[in-house]
Amino acid sequence: MTPRHYGVEDTEREVRRAVLRVVAAVAELLPADQHAPVVALLDGVYATDPVPAVRADAVVVLARLGQEAAAVDSPLPEVRLAAAMLAVARSGPPYPADLVDVIAEDGAEPDPGDDDFPWPGTTTQEEQLRRLLTEDPDAGLTVAARWITAGDIGSRGSWLAEEIAGTWRDREPAVLDLLLAALPQQRNPRALASRLHSIGHLIEYLREPDADLRDTLHAYAAGADEETVGPALLALVRSRDPRALEQVLHRPTTRLLAAAARHFPEAADRLIPVIRGELAAGATGNEGIALVEALAPFGAAAHQALPELVECLRTRRAAIVAARRLGAIGIATRETIDLLCEAAQSSDLALRAAAAVAHYQLTGDVEPALRTFEELLSGTGQTHWYLSALEPLGIAAAPLLPYIEPMLGARYEWTRMAAAEALHWITGSPDRAVPVLVDLVGPTPVGVRALKALAATGQVPEELRPTLRSFAFSPLRLIHDSPLSGQDHLDEELRALARTLLAAP
């Protein structure tokens, strides 16, 4: 068998690298009589291949065959990086400082080739490097800082810092400092917008964001590039910087108005007219829903938007959330009540539920709501959605208990959670709800909702306390957090709820 049988002398580097991945995949299966020839072949690749990335691959495959090359001292950065990665993988966190220094120095600029094929386990070198550095956050942040200082090529330092913030708790201040330093290094508006989005996501963790960070966001928000102005202004709003409010009023978007309403509820008299204008202009779909929901932080002041909410209900634009908001505002007019009665007969079951509850809130007449929910709860579909609408009815929903109680044993976890929650709202007794909720508690969306419902009962079973302590004091995020998750800061909510329950007698 000659080296050419292995393909490692092919003229194309992509072929040679692919062949080395194949050898790595079967390394543990090689017959004993093939071991020495393969090792000799790989030694030759390591010593003579003209492409440093191929030599680095040979180091990795040799390690899989139990052969260690003295590669950390190699004159080739690609080889030193591969060797350092192998060494930190063996050592585990915390990584030796000298190896971290090698990774920081030699990993700042990736190999320019586009042939970083997956190793066995479908992990490329880049993915493996990020995983290793995320497992040791101190080492990872050290490397991220060096990579950003070196130009943040490919935004790799920024991505690493963001991954650490999404994986480990309480790293937001350090990561935001790094992202601030990385902003001038971004090569194009899309990369810059991505960094600004991440800053906007993380900045809400800070009690008092740094003035330098807010000033930088203000400067980007006042810029001319539409791709970056939006995320910069959103981040400025989330930093609670008062300068953000004026800018939002001059360039209102649904997302900015919703964020401003949440962070500046005291500005109701300035924000509500703008929200009303957007609704009156015919906002539909998710835009309409977000605008109606943006009224919630304003409390009683939201009554100013009564005409627009009524029109949303009439035209079926964001009708479900409009019905809920009309019920919460509590202003009964003949027109509103008639529209709610009509909506309670809709073929849209979620709208029927919302309209029936709002009708009760405005009239105090529970019979229409009971009839509606008897039908909804005895049917099929997303029953937990309807159960979650029952809170405003309170004890008036007691006739529905025969429909709700069997759902405590439902197969679907969200249905069990919503049934337990509704049972407590209606009866005021935690006895039957608590065991169901305790069983659902965990680092998941339904587990967080169950924990919130459990907090409302005031009951903290002793057997739950070890779990709560693990939620409260884990240095790792138990629910990964990122701007793309769609579950903003759910891990922080988990930790806060756990600490609240642990403090309860």
Side-chain angles (χ1 to χ4, degrees):
M1 183 177 293
T2 66
R4 190 171 300 278
H5 287 110
Y6 292 97
V8 294
E9 290 189 345
D10 194 279
T11 57
E12 298 293 331
R13 63 172 262 169
E14 293 88 348
V15 174
R16 301 201 301 280
R17 297 194 79 186
V19 168
L20 289 173
R21 297 302 195 278
V22 173
V23 177
V26 299
E28 296 178 355
L29 304 176
L30 284 177
D33 62 345
Q34 292 293 318
H35 192 275
V38 171
V39 168
L41 177 64
L42 293 170
D43 282 336
V45 173
Y46 170 51
T48 64
D49 196 281
V51 177
V54 178
R55 293 195 188 192
D57 288 352
V59 170
V60 176
V61 183
L62 282 166
R64 286 181 176 269
L65 290 167
Q67 306 295 310
E68 297 299 329
V72 177
D73 298 326
S74 169
L76 300 175
E78 294 87 347
V79 173
R80 292 196 301 267
L81 177 62
M85 289 174 62
L86 289 168
V88 299
R90 286 194 303 270
S91 73
Y95 302 142
D98 59 332
L99 295 176
V100 174
D101 188 63
V102 170
I103 293 172
E105 182 67 25
D106 297 327
E109 183 171 0
D111 178 84
D114 57 1
D115 52 2
D116 187 15
F117 304 119
W119 290 96
T122 66
T123 300
T124 65
Q125 182 190 52
E126 185 69 18
E127 291 166 343
Q128 171 74 345
L129 180 56
R130 189 180 299 176
R131 183 187 66 79
L132 288 169
L133 291 171
T134 302
E135 289 180 357
D136 184 343
D138 292 322
L141 291 176
T142 296
V143 170
R146 293 270 294 275
W147 287 359
I148 289 170
T149 300
D152 202 20
I153 298 169
S155 300
R156 293 168 72 248
S158 298
W159 279 112
L160 175 58
E162 291 167 19
E163 184 69 14
I164 289 169
T167 305
W168 294 87
R169 291 172 171 173
D170 301 323
R171 299 286 175 161
E172 299 83 23
V175 170
L176 282 167
D177 284 345
L178 292 180
L179 294 181
L180 178 61
L183 290 177
Q185 309 274 33
Q186 304 310 298
R187 302 299 200 270
N188 55 66
R190 178 174 292 183
L192 177 58
S194 181
R195 304 289 79 72
L196 290 167
H197 276 298
S198 296
I199 289 173
H201 177 75
L202 294 173
I203 206 165
E204 290 185 299
Y205 280 102
L206 303 189
R207 191 180 301 276
E208 294 185 11
D210 182 83
D212 287 344
L213 176 55
R214 290 187 286 109
D215 287 344
T216 300
L217 293 173
H218 182 262
Y220 280 109
D225 192 319
E226 287 300 318
E227 191 166 3
T228 57
V229 164
L233 184 49
L234 181 62
L236 192 65
V237 171
R238 290 174 171 173
S239 76
R240 286 84 69 195
D241 190 297
R243 293 173 292 181
L245 186 59
E246 205 64 44
Q247 290 179 270
V248 169
L249 294 173
H250 278 91
R251 55 170 79 218
T253 66
T254 297
R255 193 174 190 188
L256 288 171
L257 287 169
R262 185 155 57 93
H263 291 292
F264 300 100
E266 70 281 3
D269 287 344
R270 302 187 71 191
L271 289 168
I272 290 176
V274 181
I275 294 172
R276 292 181 64 188
E278 296 292 319
L279 288 172
T284 61
N286 290 334
E287 297 282 308
I289 291 170
L291 286 166
V292 172
E293 290 180 334
L295 295 167
F298 300 129
H303 78 273
Q304 299 171 46
L306 188 63
E308 289 74 29
L309 293 173
V310 169
E311 189 62 18
C312 282
L313 185 57
R314 184 198 313 281
T315 58
R316 297 296 192 263
R317 293 181 295 114
I320 295 171
V321 291
R324 291 174 184 159
R325 187 53 36 207
L326 286 167
I329 290 173
I331 297 177
T333 68
R334 184 71 264 164
E335 181 184 25
T336 303
I337 293 170
D338 287 346
L339 285 171
L340 289 172
C341 287
E342 179 185 341
Q345 305 303 314
S346 170
S347 59
D348 184 333
L349 301 185
L351 176 57
R352 290 181 63 186
V357 171
H359 181 272
Y360 165 74
Q361 289 175 291
L362 296 184
T363 66
D365 181 4
V366 76
E367 289 305 319
L370 293 177
R371 288 196 300 270
T372 298
F373 278 93
E374 283 173 5
E375 182 178 348
L376 294 176
L377 297 178
S378 60
T380 58
Q382 301 292 333
T383 311
H384 64 281
W385 289 355
Y386 316 136
L387 290 170
S388 296
L390 285 173
E391 184 175 12
L393 271 66
I395 195 170
L400 299 174
L401 287 174
Y403 299 92
I404 297 170
E405 289 168 332
M407 296 182 192
L408 294 172
R411 292 181 61 184
Y412 187 40
E413 57 188 5
W414 278 101
T415 301
R416 296 199 305 277
M417 186 283 305
E421 192 175 44
L423 189 69
H424 179 247
W425 290 335
I426 294 168
T427 66
S429 171
D431 294 346
R432 296 184 63 191
V434 166
V436 176
L437 296 171
V438 167
D439 186 58
L440 292 168
V441 164
T444 62
V446 69
V448 173
R449 176 73 175 269
L451 201 59
K452 187 183 299 184
L454 190 63
T457 70
Q459 299 283 318
V460 188
E462 195 61 33
E463 67 270 18
L464 187 61
R465 289 186 178 273
T467 298
L468 294 175
R469 284 191 286 271
S470 72
F471 293 169
F473 303 114
S474 170
L476 273 166
R477 293 198 188 282
L478 302 178
I479 304 175
H480 188 84
D481 186 29
S482 82
L484 305 177
S485 68
Q487 301 170 169
D488 279 2
H489 312 319
L490 202 56
D491 180 76
E492 188 63 18
E493 187 175 2
L494 175 73
R495 176 163 66 168
L497 285 166
R499 288 177 171 176
T500 297
L501 286 165
L502 285 171

